[in-house]
Amino acid sequence: MDVSVNWLRALVPGLEGSAQELADRISLGAIPVDRVIPVGDDLAGIVIARVTEARPHPNADRLTLCRVDAGTGEPIDVVCGAPNVEEGALYPYVAPGQELPGGFRIESRKIRGEMSHGMLCSEKELELGRDAGGIMKLEGNFEPGASFASAMSLPDARLELDLTPNRIDLACHAGVARELAPEGGTGVVLTEFPGPGWEPVWIDGRTGAESNGVSIRIADADRCFRYLGAIIRGVRVGPSPAWLQARLRGAGARPINNVVDATNYILLESNQPLHAFDLEKLAGSEIQVRAARAGEELRTLDGEKHVLTPACTVIADEDGAVALAGVMGGQESEVSPETVDLLIECAAFDPTHTRHTAAETGLATDASYRFERGIDEVGLEAALTRCVQLILAIAGGEADTEGIRVGGLPPSLAVAELRPERVRQVLGLDLSSARIEELLSPLGFGLRSDGTRELLRFDVPGWRGDVRTESDLLEEVARRHGYDAFPSEPRSFRPSSVPDAPDHERGDRVRRFFAGEGFLEARSLPFVTERRSAVDRIPLLRPLSRAEGFLRTDLASVLLSRVEHNWLRGRRSVRLFEVGTAFGSRSPRPEAPPADPSPDERDAANPFAEERRFAFVITGDRSPDHWGGSASEVDLWDLKGIVEQLAETFDLGPVAPFAGRVDECQRPFGWGMWLHDEAFEVGDGECLAGIAGRVDSRALDAPPWASPVFAGEFRLGAVQVADRRRFEPLPQYPAVARDLAFTLASTVPASEVESAIRLAAPPLLSNLQLFDVYEGEGVEEGRRSLAWRLVFRAPDRTLTDGEVDEAMTAILRRLEADFDVRIRAS
Amino acid sequence: MANEGPALRERLEEIRRRGVAAFESAESQEALEAARIEFLGRGGLVSRAMSDLKALPAEEKPATGQAGNRVKKALEALLEVRSAAIAAAESGETDEVTDLTLPGRRTWQGGVHPVTRVIDEVCEIFREIGFTIATGPEIESDWHNFTSLNIPLDHPAADMHDTFYLDQGVLLRTHTSPVQARIMLEHDPPVRVLAPGLVFRRDPWDASHAPAFEQIEGLAVDEGIDFVEFRAAIDFFVHRFFGTGTRTRFRPSYFPFTEPSAEVDVTCFLCEGSGCSTCKGTGWVEIMGSGMVNPAVFEAVGYDSERFTGYAFGMGPARIALLRYRIPDIRLLYEGDAAFLEQFC
């Protein structure tokens, strides 16, 4: 929404301050002003000139030789390149030696053999608008030689407002002016129009009314609350006077003709959309507001033809739709230079139906914007009256004394209540009733006499449909007081009754772990392509693109695409982790919620599930390149080491070879991407805590130089938050270490051997470590050698060799009994 | 014998010169040991010169004694250096001079995401004024996302959030504000929570828009919380996060779930208020939407809106990270490019 500062000044007598200062006041008091645009600041060199003669340039098809009267008494020759130059018309003119805005100096020069002294200008050249298609024809009675700037009421400044959805009242100049009106002043004063004026006698009807052969009917009261019509006969359609054109241009609107300009003027001044029909072009004697019929057609003012549906609301005459209610008029009944009699529409259309009409036809207009957000229903009479007065003043004609009014009298003003005590409670301000009234009355709120000192009752002006409750009034008081005028005083507080969410702390701990292990945190968005999505993927109903059409069901596969991204940039070593959400569908799908469900019932009916997870991926070198020797590649044992450390740090449970079970608990972890014989599962609960392993190369788009990729994914909820660490006494007596190497069948898992040793050893065995695994020369086919270091220690004495020998014997006996072991050395 | 003192000092100086020459020229431990005995041994030159000290007049003794000690210390120090050098030379190490300018051996740098850094810092600051951290689901019902927050579904206010729907009435949350409703449905005041998390909008990707991004919601509800305290809490945060010299500016705004609503600007932390491209020449940068909780929200969750008041706010840590670290394009945040992430280790 653009407003003209000159127009605001005209509405608020005595308004002080530069355009920028006014913009700041609006920004800090009401709504943001995005930009302040000076308009016509340097037009001192431009005058109005009349083209007295125009003939083709002898040497150029597109040029015209003009003789121009610029009020100097001497005719001036000007060569003009615009297609729209007309004999007798007025245009802005720059004489030689003068400058265009921006500082370009115009000089006399020869153009294709003909002298040109100065230039006729387009809107764009004067930096007044975007129109560069022709020179700017000026409509009105101007004297050649008159200052262009003063004729156009320039300079001005345009404020670009960023309207919030609640403050539709600020979409017009009167609304913005009220925000600027000083306390105790005269408020907003509307310009008085010269001429006869109009004070109608209203012909009322609930659903229809008729006057002088014109009948108006509201067929569907849900779609239109009130519809007012005025008839003006014998107008002369033509250009608007200069002041009116200047106002419209100042607000960024284009003058069209005096009738349309008058409706636009009232729109921009008071926010009421109005429409002028050419009365002669309406068929029959009645128009009505009704739902469009399916397939009904209408060509709107912009020339577009629409095929309508019953979701649209139309104004229709005997032959069919003539306008889209609250959105746009029809071309057929549009006001043209030949129009003599007018029907002026001033209505209150329903916001939701207007929204549907606009959406169905793909139109978004100044009118629909306002109706969708709610117009001032109380102000219809005033707006229509003012519009008729303006048309009579600038287009002549005579208005029927009777006005037609369907839908009833204006609704009475809403009443909103405010307790000064509540001002103290919520705002922390101690304001008297009188002060509150002072703050609110410039905005149009009228203190009613039926309130008390403890309960102020205000009449809410019709244009403030957003103000109904006490808290709405509180906001008005706070704004008028000035947000920055509030003190900023810390107060004592009670601690929150809400405990920390454990997932937040879990995420913190996981981040610290991985950052410490040399991993970088990725934050991927949870959208995936079909390729990356699992069978039970969740499609978005209206995705932005095919590449982001689904929600991820696991984190690891998204990290894989991040690895691919790094590969594309030529990077081979990548270590990433992420903490985020994986999504899934609940199975079986829960039943639909009952009618008017409670929040819990809504949650219960949610067909989707989500789970916080963390995942990591690792590929490439163990460490960065170093001149002292190149690093080796990450392998399965690096992965298992990380997994073991994770499991220990976060108490995730045992790490075991992946059993390949396919059940509801495992499915979520990026199913299908793991190489099953190089993967591990973690956890001993009902559900796995997570899975990690080598990623199947078929799940990756890898360059030839890529290293194997390992990844893991875990439920964040499996991370134990309670700190279970307890001190263990430090050893006081020396330990005895023994090595033990033996061969046994390669098929026996090391973990079974380890548990057998631990089981057989007395509590003296304090540490057990596998330090060598060997298969090959010197060891029989089908067997392998395992070498262990055993450390024995007693808490209360130095062990004797005898005690240790005894323990070793027990272990050996156990191993020989359980497995076919052969001792290599001990 | 007035010149005995100076004479002895001269003799000591001579011993020093000769000793230095002898130690420097020794090429083996044996030669060095011989030189040590000659100069520093029990009956060596230094020791003998020192014994002559006794014969000096009392006033000469201190100065000459000190000179003797200096010579002895200097020779002892040199002996030590030479001994180490010869030992090193004999073991063959000094031939290979180590180039200490070569780069050291390093491990991979790990670190958290720049947006995490911002979130952590914000959480820490609000913890100081009694806030705890809450979370909420990313898939929400339209009731939690809109209705509970006083946003009618068929209203232009809902246009502000272009929403990803998953099913009838089920959507990806467009803001972290539904956590407000969830918290209040579960807990009674006093409530002071911060809820960081991902939110979703149907905004196509460009340098400053992503279809999902992080947000931090804040909510404080208790008896006696007013606009004055609200300003103070925000000011406290701004001064801690952006620096004590930073000023705040509160502007009216519109959020259906707060009233009065305010947009909070801070003096631009890049140009310090003088005007730059980040603040579009205004000297101010918008950092959060906020306001006093609308009583309609309290009523939706069953709080007594006459008794309790509160404030709520929402800010974008991703946007703050872009500004703070001068990252020109939001897409960089979500690509997982290691070269980018390494810069924030």
Side-chain angles (χ1 to χ4, degrees):
Chain A
M1 172 69 200
D2 292 349
V3 294
S4 146
V5 168
N6 284 353
W7 196 337
L8 293 177
R9 288 190 204 282
L11 288 169
V12 184
L15 183 59
E16 307 269 333
S18 67
Q20 185 60 53
E21 283 161 359
L22 295 178
D24 289 346
R25 283 178 56 195
I26 297 168
S27 277
L28 291 178
I31 52 165
V33 177
D34 284 345
R35 282 207 298 170
V36 179
I37 305 158
V39 181
D41 257 354
D42 9 72
L43 297 171
I46 319 292
V47 294
I48 294 174
R50 186 186 303 280
V51 173
T52 53
E53 201 185 321
R55 60 195 166 83
H57 191 293
N59 306 322
D61 289 347
R62 299 212 183 104
L63 299 180
T64 312
L65 295 184
C66 303
R67 188 144 281 192
V68 164
D69 171 9
T72 55
E74 295 287 319
I76 305 165
D77 289 324
V78 174
V79 177
C80 178
N84 65 332
V85 60
E86 285 169 40
E87 249 176 42
L90 297 163
Y91 301 98
Y93 164 75
V94 202
Q98 300 291 339
E99 290 178 354
L100 283 176
F104 184 77
R105 183 182 284 272
I106 301 296
E107 302 292 354
S108 294
R109 63 191 185 108
K110 228 176 214 166
I111 298 174
R112 293 285 186 104
E114 297 287 338
M115 276 310 290
S116 179
H117 305 283
M119 178 177 143
L120 301 173
C121 311
S122 70
E123 273 184 22
K124 185 154 187 240
E125 284 154 347
L126 298 177
E127 294 181 359
L128 295 177
R130 278 182 287 270
D131 190 355
I135 48 179
M136 183 177 173
K137 188 177 169 191
L138 305 177
E139 307 283 0
N141 300 316
F142 302 111
E143 278 301 308
S147 155
F148 171 75
S150 35
M152 294 293 121
S153 307
L154 295 173
D156 191 1
R158 191 147 60 224
L159 308 181
E160 277 186 18
L161 307 183
D162 180 7
L163 286 182
T164 50
N166 58 329
R167 294 301 306 275
I168 186 60
D169 64 301
L170 298 181
C172 70
H173 285 77
V176 178
R178 276 189 292 266
E179 292 290 333
L180 295 170
E183 269 170 42
T186 47
V188 170
V189 180
L190 301 181
T191 317
E192 278 193 38
F193 306 130
W198 187 57
E199 279 169 32
V201 176
W202 294 109
I203 307 299
D204 278 298
R206 179 53 50 191
T207 58
E210 186 265 335
S211 162
N212 290 334
V214 177
S215 157
I216 297 173
R217 201 160 69 81
I218 298 175
D220 185 344
D222 288 343
R223 293 174 185 252
C224 180
F225 309 134
R226 303 176 70 216
Y227 194 114
L228 275 54
I231 294 157
I232 308 177
R233 300 176 200 267
V235 297
R236 289 174 307 281
V237 177
S240 295
W243 69 266
L244 176 51
Q245 293 196 26
R247 284 279 162 88
L248 295 180
R249 282 185 208 281
R254 166 170 302 278
I256 295 168
N257 60 47
N258 47 12
V259 172
V260 174
D261 290 354
T263 60
N264 282 337
Y265 180 88
I266 302 301
L267 172 82
L268 293 171
E269 178 192 79
S270 308
N271 235 14
Q272 173 62 44
L274 297 132
H275 184 65
F277 292 100
D278 184 332
L279 189 57
E280 279 170 51
K281 293 194 183 137
L282 296 175
S285 61
E286 181 185 90
I287 59 163
Q288 56 169 309
V289 188
R290 60 160 166 84
R293 304 197 170 102
E296 190 168 13
E297 290 182 358
L298 175 67
R299 190 178 293 278
T300 43
L301 281 173
D302 56 1
E304 289 294 315
K305 194 165 149 184
H306 301 276
V307 180
L308 307 176
T309 70
C312 302
T313 307
V314 296
I315 317 299
D317 64 7
E318 200 169 68
D319 293 345
V322 293
L324 287 172
V327 180
M328 195 183 272
Q331 207 171 42
E332 186 67 18
S333 54
E334 158 182 36
V335 172
S336 72
E338 291 75 42
T339 301
V340 182
D341 297 341
L342 304 171
L343 169 64
I344 311 292
E345 163 198 293
C346 180
F349 295 110
D350 171 59
T352 306
H353 282 96
T354 308
R355 196 162 138 95
H356 293 162
T357 306
E360 284 286 308
T361 53
L363 291 168
T365 62
D366 286 342
S368 68
Y369 183 83
R370 289 167 174 81
F371 282 121
E372 284 178 32
R373 285 160 180 78
I375 52 118
D376 174 8
E377 226 188 299
V378 182
L380 293 187
E381 281 79 359
L384 180 59
T385 305
R386 205 164 151 72
C387 184
V388 170
Q389 283 172 350
L390 180 53
I391 291 173
L392 294 178
I394 63 177
E398 210 169 308
D400 285 8
T401 5
E402 289 178 348
I404 305 168
R405 180 161 66 183
V406 186
L409 297 175
S412 51
L413 293 179
V415 175
E417 298 177 337
L418 178 63
R419 293 162 294 169
E421 179 49 40
R422 188 74 176 166
V423 175
R424 255 185 298 282
Q425 185 191 7
V426 177
L427 300 184
L429 293 179
D430 210 351
L431 300 181
S432 68
S433 317
R435 179 62 190 147
I436 292 170
E437 189 195 357
E438 255 170 30
L439 290 172
L440 295 183
S441 74
L443 297 178
F445 293 93
L447 184 64
R448 293 165 58 98
S449 53
D450 56 358
T452 63
R453 280 180 53 181
E454 288 74 38
L455 181 71
L456 309 179
R457 305 191 83 225
F458 286 94
D459 280 325
V460 179
W463 58 81
R464 290 305 300 274
D466 61 313
V467 175
R468 289 294 177 266
T469 65
E470 185 172 48
S471 105
D472 296 335
L473 282 179
L474 278 176
E475 179 165 73
E476 296 304 297
V477 171
R479 287 196 308 115
R480 294 298 283 187
H481 179 72
Y483 283 5
D484 279 341
F486 278 84
S488 169
E489 288 164 12
R491 303 267 160 90
S492 60
F493 56 84
R494 296 199 286 168
S496 181
S497 71
V498 186
D500 274 319
D503 271 358
H504 182 78
E505 197 186 336
R506 291 185 179 115
D508 265 3
R509 290 197 184 189
V510 166
R511 286 188 178 95
R512 275 201 297 273
F513 174 90
F514 280 105
E517 293 290 319
F519 285 77
L520 297 164
E521 186 188 14
R523 281 179 172 266
S524 333
L525 300 192
F527 306 111
V528 288
T529 61
E530 195 154 5
R531 177 168 86 91
R532 288 271 181 234
S533 62
V535 193
D536 54 352
R537 63 201 173 207
I538 301 171
L540 300 173
L541 294 188
R542 239 161 31 103
L544 279 175
S545 67
R546 285 168 62 96
E548 295 174 324
F550 299 90
L551 283 181
R552 64 182 174 195
T553 50
D554 66 278
L555 269 60
S557 61
V558 178
L559 283 181
L560 294 184
S561 59
R562 303 298 92 205
V563 170
E564 288 168 353
H565 173 87
N566 281 282
W567 280 338
L568 279 176
R569 310 220 155 186
R571 185 174 174 123
R572 201 169 61 86
S573 296
V574 186
R575 303 158 70 95
L576 296 174
F577 78 96
E578 177 160 357
V579 181
T581 306
F583 301 90
S585 297
R586 284 170 59 196
S587 162
R589 191 190 159 102
E591 280 175 34
D596 198 15
S598 71
D600 285 346
E601 284 166 337
R602 282 170 203 276
D603 282 343
N606 182 353
F608 306 105
E610 59 181 87
E611 185 176 56
R612 298 288 289 168
R613 305 263 185 86
F614 64 96
F616 67 93
V617 62
I618 180 168
T619 180
D621 291 335
R622 284 206 179 107
S623 56
D625 271 344
H626 187 255
W627 54 269
S630 59
S632 48
E633 280 189 350
V634 167
D635 65 17
L636 188 66
W637 306 112
D638 293 300
L639 170 86
K640 193 178 183 196
I642 293 164
V643 174
E644 285 168 347
Q645 258 168 279
L646 270 174
E648 259 169 53
T649 310
F650 299 126
D651 213 355
L652 301 176
V655 177
F658 184 48
R661 288 178 303 166
V662 181
D663 60 31
E664 282 310 309
C665 293
Q666 288 173 3
R667 272 166 60 79
F669 296 105
W671 193 250
M673 57 179 271
W674 312 104
L675 282 179
H676 285 199
D677 48 5
E678 290 187 53
F680 305 96
E681 53 183 47
V682 182
D684 51 3
E686 180 108 326
C687 275
L688 289 184
I691 288 181
R694 181 164 173 181
V695 176
D696 192 334
S697 59
R698 285 168 298 183
L700 293 161
D701 190 2
W705 43 261
S707 314
V709 177
F710 301 90
E713 175 156 350
F714 298 83
R715 301 180 201 276
L716 193 61
V719 169
Q720 298 303 314
V721 197
D723 197 341
R724 296 191 196 163
R725 284 171 289 199
R726 295 293 180 269
F727 170 75
E728 274 181 30
L730 298 175
Q732 299 291 318
Y733 296 90
V736 179
R738 294 283 173 88
D739 288 354
L740 177 64
F742 48 81
T743 69
L744 78 175
S746 301
T747 49
V748 178
S751 61
E752 284 185 25
V753 179
E754 183 179 335
S755 18
I757 297 175
R758 286 192 190 280
L759 221 68
L764 300 179
L765 180 65
S766 70
N767 196 5
L768 175 65
Q769 202 191 345
L770 178 67
F771 68 87
D772 190 42
V773 179
Y774 178 75
E775 247 169 312
E777 207 177 319
V779 176
E780 204 179 315
E781 184 86 11
R783 295 176 73 84
R784 63 174 171 172
S785 159
L786 301 179
W788 305 81
R789 171 150 305 152
L790 299 88
V791 179
F792 297 90
R793 195 199 294 275
D796 54 353
R797 63 189 191 282
T798 303
L799 288 174
T800 63
D801 277 351
E803 282 175 292
V804 176
D805 288 345
E806 203 177 303
M808 287 296 285
T809 312
I811 289 167
L812 269 174
R813 219 172 278 142
R814 177 87 210 192
L815 288 173
E816 278 161 350
D818 287 4
F819 320 104
D820 169 30
V821 305
R822 281 174 225 155
I823 302 303
R824 298 186 78 202
S826 66
Chain B
M1 300 229 285
N3 64 345
E4 272 178 15
L8 184 53
R9 290 203 287 277
E10 223 164 80
R11 200 173 112 213
L12 280 164
E13 181 53 27
E14 175 60 21
I15 291 168
R16 192 191 64 81
R17 266 197 300 274
R18 282 174 50 206
V20 166
F23 288 171
E24 293 276 7
S25 59
E27 293 289 340
S28 66
Q29 293 293 8
E30 292 74 37
L32 192 63
E33 178 62 12
R36 185 192 69 78
I37 292 164
E38 182 186 354
F39 288 91
L40 296 172
R42 191 167 297 190
L45 292 171
V46 174
S47 158
R48 271 184 283 157
M50 293 299 269
S51 68
D52 290 348
L53 199 64
K54 289 197 269 307
L56 289 184
E59 71 274 15
E60 291 282 1
K61 276 181 185 167
T64 314
Q66 279 163 20
N69 278 329
R70 272 200 301 275
V71 169
K72 191 172 175 216
K73 288 241 165 65
L75 287 177
E76 278 168 355
L78 181 60
L79 175 70
E80 199 170 309
V81 169
R82 285 300 299 153
S83 170
I86 290 165
E90 283 175 351
S91 67
E93 274 175 11
T94 43
D95 286 351
E96 205 178 301
V97 177
T98 306
D99 177 0
L100 297 177
T101 65
L102 286 171
R105 185 175 285 120
R106 308 182 64 153
T107 55
W108 294 112
Q109 280 269 75
V112 298
H113 194 278
V115 173
T116 304
R117 282 177 177 269
V118 172
I119 292 175
D120 286 352
E121 211 176 311
V122 172
C123 289
E124 259 170 55
I125 294 170
F126 276 101
R127 275 187 189 285
E128 287 181 40
I129 48 173
F131 280 72
T132 52
I133 314 296
T135 55
E138 290 170 18
I139 296 179
E140 276 290 9
S141 72
D142 51 7
W143 185 87
H144 285 96
N145 195 74
F146 293 123
T147 317
S148 75
L149 295 162
N150 199 32
I151 310 172
L153 292 178
D154 195 16
H155 186 271
D159 278 352
M160 296 201 297
H161 313 278
D162 210 352
T163 311
F164 282 115
Y165 274 90
L166 299 175
D167 200 352
Q168 178 73 39
V170 184
L171 46 83
L172 293 172
R173 65 178 176 191
T174 59
H175 46 186
T176 41
S177 308
V179 182
Q180 286 189 23
R182 291 190 175 275
I183 290 293
M184 290 190 281
L185 285 168
E186 253 179 65
H187 301 273
D188 288 330
V191 162
R192 295 171 85 84
V193 290
L194 217 54
L198 206 58
V199 303
F200 303 81
R201 308 262 171 101
R202 277 195 86 259
D203 281 334
W205 286 101
D206 67 28
S208 47
H209 294 91
F213 52 91
E214 291 81 2
Q215 207 173 59
I216 302 177
E217 189 77 11
L219 173 71
V221 183
D222 200 355
E223 287 173 1
I225 294 184
D226 59 20
F227 200 93
V228 173
E229 184 186 340
F230 156 56
R231 271 212 70 150
I234 301 302
D235 283 345
F236 172 79
F237 162 72
V238 167
H239 290 152
R240 291 295 301 273
F241 190 88
F242 296 104
T244 41
T246 311
R247 280 174 299 131
T248 56
R249 183 172 86 166
F250 287 57
R251 284 184 291 108
S253 190
Y254 173 65
F255 309 104
F257 39 100
T258 52
E259 196 166 38
S261 297
E263 205 81 64
V264 180
D265 296 342
V266 297
T267 39
C268 179
F269 38 94
L270 298 187
C271 64
E272 285 167 353
S274 60
C276 65
S277 63
T278 297
C279 58
K280 299 195 187 86
T282 62
W284 296 94
V285 177
E286 190 180 308
I287 56 149
M288 65 168 85
S290 61
M292 300 300 290
V293 179
N294 193 318
V297 174
F298 287 148
E299 276 141 35
V301 297
Y303 273 18
D304 179 354
S305 64
E306 277 294 303
R307 190 174 151 206
F308 297 111
T309 52
Y311 58 86
F313 55 87
M315 66 181 114
R319 187 166 162 274
I320 292 173
L322 295 184
L323 292 171
R324 166 181 269 195
Y325 300 114
R326 306 184 195 199
I327 301 167
D329 193 321
I330 196 170
R331 286 169 282 213
L332 288 164
L333 294 180
Y334 303 115
E335 277 175 344
D337 192 314
F340 169 80
L341 297 170
E342 272 170 348
Q343 297 183 16
F344 303 95
C345 284

